[in-house]
Amino acid sequence: MRQKNEDAIDLTDNDIPALANFPKNHRLKALYLARNRITAIAPALNNSIPNLDTLVLTQNSLSELADLEPLAALKKLTHLTLLVNPVASREVSHAHVQYANESLI
């Protein structure tokens, strides 16, 4: 359960092609991006939303493990959902992402 002073943005079902171009926001803690067309994540995403702890990317188009590399820089990220993405069917995806970002549970 989120506390009142924590911010979340729900951009579910918006036909977004990439997780990029976010303005700097230190208050943003959760980002919900299910059912978009995301195929890429900006390399410097951590500079824009450094305090992100929850990222829901269910039902997007992330297909390669390399597409997830920018998430390693999100040091406060503890909850990540990649269900129904091509990359989620890869056997090593969970271990790879967890290894790259030790804060994930």
Side-chain angles (χ1 to χ4, degrees), residues 11-72:
L11 296 170
T12 300
D13 293 318
N14 274 289
D15 208 29
I16 296 169
L19 183 50
N21 299 319
F22 275 87
K24 191 165 223 142
N25 186 336
H26 289 278
R27 290 181 52 193
L28 187 62
K29 303 284 186 184
L31 192 52
Y32 301 93
L33 290 158
R35 294 186 305 274
N36 279 284
R37 306 183 288 120
I38 296 172
T39 59
I41 300 171
L45 185 65
N46 64 309
N47 293 331
S48 300
I49 48 178
N51 295 317
L52 195 71
D53 65 25
T54 301
L55 180 58
V56 176
L57 293 169
T58 301
Q59 209 168 341
N60 276 282
S61 298
L62 294 162
S63 59
E64 301 296 326
L65 291 174
D67 296 336
L68 306 177
E69 290 296 325
L71 300 180

Side-chain angles (χ1 to χ4, degrees), residues 73-99:
L74 292 169
K75 298 303 180 193
K76 296 190 178 181
L77 188 66
T78 57
H79 296 83
L80 173 65
T81 303
L82 293 168
L83 297 169
V84 196
N85 277 277
V87 74
S89 64
R90 295 179 181 260
E91 285 184 30
V92 296
S93 66
H94 179 73
H96 177 81
V97 172
Q98 192 168 19
Y99 174 78

